[in-house]
Amino acid sequence: MGFKMPAAAINVADAHIKALAPALSDWCALIFDYAEPAWREYRSAEWYVAKLREEGFSVEEGSGGMPTAFCARWRNGDGPTVGFYAEYDAVPGNCQAARPERAPRDGLGFMAAGHTDPHSALGMGSLAGLLATKAAMEALDIRGTLQMTGEPAEKVRGSKPIHAAKGYYDGLDAMLSFHPFYMLPLCNTVRWDTHCGAAYSFVYRFLCEVPQSWGATDGAPIPQSHSDIRAPGANDALMQMYQNARALRDSMLPHRGGWSVSEAILSTGQATADNLPALMADLQYMIRVPDLEMAEQITAQLDRLAEHAAQMTGCRVEKHWVSKSRPGLANHALASAVWQGLQEVGAPVWDDEALALAKQVQEACGMEASAAPLIPECTQLIAPQEAETILRRDLPPSQANSTSDDYTDMTWHCPTARFYIARPALRGGPYPPWAMNALGGMPALIDPTVICAGRVLARAALRVLTSEDLRRSTRSEFERRRVEQGAIPPLADYPAPVDLPWPEYVETRRGRDWHIPSKGQP
């Protein structure tokens, strides 16, 4: 079923994005260059807050107790409320300049953070759609409220469970969730039934607080002799945990469906003296599973291992939650409205300049340049139902959710549609990671994704704002699915984990640098 809206609204929105295109390109490049990692997106969040205030939005900074989050609202009288959001966190160890060659951004080494998805385009596409919708509402006096949340730390599924628990998505008539993507079948399409699954993430902090209790044989008052026994310390606890969890991973859940357990060692800084036990070591886990029961089962097994690892090494262990997020709910009515807009706009279009840059990246990777360097999926639409059929080919019939993203927490508070616009991806390969990262930063290659996403978002938002029938359908389906799935309440019963030693940029006498000094990096 198609939902109509005033043609004038579409025209205003499209014209606004066209006029804004040069600025959107500059802004996207700026956020790409900031490339700040999870929970440390200071410049990126500050930029969005300033821009939204400049555009007439009231902005709450630090929303949900998260310093790099925000919630912005603009209202034109009484009416429906539509939600947008920006992500802007980057990934450590992926520093790449927006150039068709492997090179770090100026003044940094390769170990600094860089945009991989890229969230720089995600946030800017959402901002484009937001501002275009606002322009149409002002021009035609369309009543309603627009909300944009700034969502830090998506890579660790950080902010959305916390925003959800604190009510930031309650009462929205629709949440529009856009992500750049390139892999079949989730390219230029809308998710239908199979939404992303649940995820738990936490950090085990091993603390060696009483090394003197381990015992000594040399009679020294402080057991730290170069030759005598000493407490194993926190590093040994971490290694025991790391190795045992990996060894037992195959025994944690049945071998069916898609699930994963990943870990990362957070740098906490150890003594340079070799004869002193490490006092603290942090090990982060991310559990991605279809449902919460599976998440609880793995978590319980990891908790037992952590306690044993601590006991064996003279330590104690703390557990710091990073994320508890729920599996997602579908909403066919809203998905259909977004798909209608995507069909009207079409897939992104890359010009000759963009294709020439893509060929240069191929050549820089030692590949022969293709006549058509981008994969065909980039410029094709795929119907949601067809994408659903392909997605389910490798999934058991009983598995309702698959893969991972924290937009799922929004789906329990308001009707939500998740859609994907193609980001540029090269034919052939395999390519090194820097190639995809570079494609996501070069304006000629990433701007078409941003513009296409903005136009689709504006159409979907304006349909929600102007069609009571659409709002009635999406709300009815939302309420029904919540009941059918057991109305899982918010799970984030922990504060934002901003005080953990997350990687970040630092200011030193050497200037601004990554927390691992750039000099001497590969």
Side-chain angles (χ1 to χ4, degrees):
M1 177 182 178
F3 294 97
K4 295 182 179 180
M5 64 175 170
I10 297 177
N11 294 336
V12 171
D14 280 348
H16 193 77
I17 289 177
K18 183 177 181 179
L20 205 57
L24 290 168
S25 179
D26 292 342
W27 300 341
C28 188
L30 182 68
I31 301 299
F32 180 88
D33 195 53
Y34 284 164
E36 297 168 299
W39 302 117
R40 302 293 185 253
E41 311 95 333
Y42 305 115
R43 292 183 175 184
S44 302
E46 182 181 13
W47 183 89
Y48 272 104
V49 167
K51 177 55 61 180
L52 288 163
R53 283 177 174 159
E54 180 183 310
E55 294 289 340
F57 285 74
S58 61
V59 185
E60 175 193 357
E61 297 184 70
S63 53
M66 298 174 283
T68 54
F70 63 82
C71 182
R73 293 187 180 93
W74 177 84
R75 183 182 179 189
N76 184 36
D78 294 332
T81 302
V82 178
F84 301 72
Y85 65 86
E87 294 171 7
Y88 30 81
D89 61 318
V91 184
N94 282 272
C95 181
Q96 171 60 38
R99 302 209 302 261
E101 60 189 0
R102 184 172 188 255
R105 299 189 310 283
D106 290 345
L108 297 168
F110 288 113
M111 290 300 103
H115 283 284
T116 56
D117 273 340
H119 288 167
S120 46
L122 186 160
M124 210 50 58
S126 296
L127 182 64
L130 178 83
L131 297 182
T133 303
K134 175 176 177 285
M137 292 174 71
E138 290 177 316
L140 301 174
D141 196 26
I142 297 172
R143 298 306 178 97
T145 298
L146 301 179
Q147 174 177 295
M148 179 176 236
T149 45
E151 305 287 357
E154 188 279 332
K155 285 300 183 183
V156 293
R157 295 185 69 144
S159 68
K160 299 185 191 75
I162 294 174
H163 268 152
K166 293 183 180 295
Y168 283 87
Y169 313 132
D170 294 347
L172 298 182
D173 290 274
M175 173 60 80
L176 302 175
S177 173
F178 149 65
H179 203 292
F181 208 59
Y182 67 96
M183 290 188 292
L184 192 70
L186 298 177
C187 187
N188 297 321
T189 192
V190 189
R191 274 195 184 261
W192 197 242
D193 283 318
T194 306
H195 280 253
C196 290
Y200 279 11
S201 181
F202 39 80
V203 169
Y204 291 120
R205 170 163 288 177
F206 296 99
L207 296 156
C208 181
E209 296 172 318
V210 286
Q212 71 277 8
S213 67
W214 189 260
T217 60
D218 62 358
I222 301 176
Q224 60 184 34
S225 165
H226 287 274
S227 59
D228 201 12
I229 63 169
R230 57 184 179 271
N235 281 351
D236 291 82
L238 183 148
M239 292 306 299
Q240 289 282 349
M241 180 69 198
Y242 187 98
Q243 293 170 336
N244 285 314
R246 277 190 165 268
L248 296 173
R249 190 165 299 174
D250 285 349
S251 303
M252 292 182 177
L253 285 176
H255 291 245
R256 63 174 182 268
W259 59 272
S260 66
V261 181
S262 305
E263 63 282 298
I265 298 173
L266 298 183
S267 175
T268 50
Q270 308 296 354
T272 55
D274 66 286
N275 61 314
L276 298 178
L279 301 182
M280 185 174 78
D282 290 343
L283 181 59
Q284 176 192 352
Y285 280 92
M286 173 65 82
I287 303 167
R288 295 178 173 91
V289 286
D291 58 59
L292 294 174
E293 183 179 358
M294 297 169 75
E296 291 285 351
Q297 184 170 333
I298 293 177
T299 299
Q301 296 183 58
L302 291 175
D303 285 349
R304 288 195 296 271
L305 288 175
E307 288 293 342
H308 288 307
Q311 291 170 11
M312 286 190 294
T313 54
C315 296
R316 72 175 180 89
V317 63
E318 296 176 349
K319 183 177 179 181
H320 299 267
W321 279 98
V322 176
S323 178
K324 287 184 186 178
S325 61
R326 297 162 282 184
L329 293 177
N331 194 291
H332 289 176
L334 189 57
S336 296
V338 174
W339 173 238
Q340 186 177 346
L342 182 50
Q343 289 177 295
E344 293 166 0
V345 172
V349 177
W350 284 273
D351 61 18
D352 291 341
E353 177 190 357
L355 298 179
L357 282 171
K359 293 176 184 179
Q360 290 181 46
V361 175
Q362 287 182 313
E363 292 170 343
C365 295
M367 306 287 181
E368 184 178 349
S370 306
L374 301 182
I375 60 174
E377 289 81 6
C378 286
T379 53
Q380 298 171 356
L381 303 185
I382 179 169
Q385 296 85 346
E386 182 182 351
E388 175 72 17
T389 299
I390 297 171
L391 186 64
R392 294 222 53 97
R393 285 176 183 170
D394 298 324
L395 298 178
S398 61
Q399 183 175 333
N401 298 84
S402 178
T403 71
S404 176
D405 193 289
D406 62 351
Y407 79 89
T408 53
D409 258 82
M410 298 169 163
T411 68
W412 291 91
H413 296 261
C414 61
T416 303
R418 171 71 161 185
F419 75 100
Y420 303 89
I421 301 297
R423 58 170 296 186
L426 299 173
R427 289 178 186 263
Y431 291 96
W434 74 260
M436 282 296 290
N437 298 348
L439 294 177
M442 290 185 281
L445 280 156
I446 197 61
D447 288 354
T449 301
V450 171
I451 298 301
C452 180
R455 295 179 66 199
V456 174
L457 283 161
R459 280 166 166 74
L462 288 167
R463 282 192 164 90
V464 171
L465 290 166
T466 59
S467 174
E468 186 176 349
D469 287 343
L470 174 57
R471 296 194 300 274
R472 188 182 300 113
S473 297
T474 58
R475 177 59 58 175
S476 174
E477 182 178 356
F478 166 71
E479 298 293 353
R480 173 176 58 81
R481 290 185 184 272
R482 284 187 78 245
V483 172
E484 291 173 351
Q485 297 301 314
I488 303 172
L491 303 176
D493 54 358
Y494 49 87
V498 296
D499 293 330
L500 289 169
W502 302 107
E504 62 183 324
Y505 297 97
V506 294
E507 295 285 346
T508 72
R509 293 181 67 180
R510 301 183 305 278
R512 187 170 190 262
D513 200 356
W514 189 237
H515 74 121
I516 302 171
S518 297
K519 187 176 181 180
Q521 290 184 22

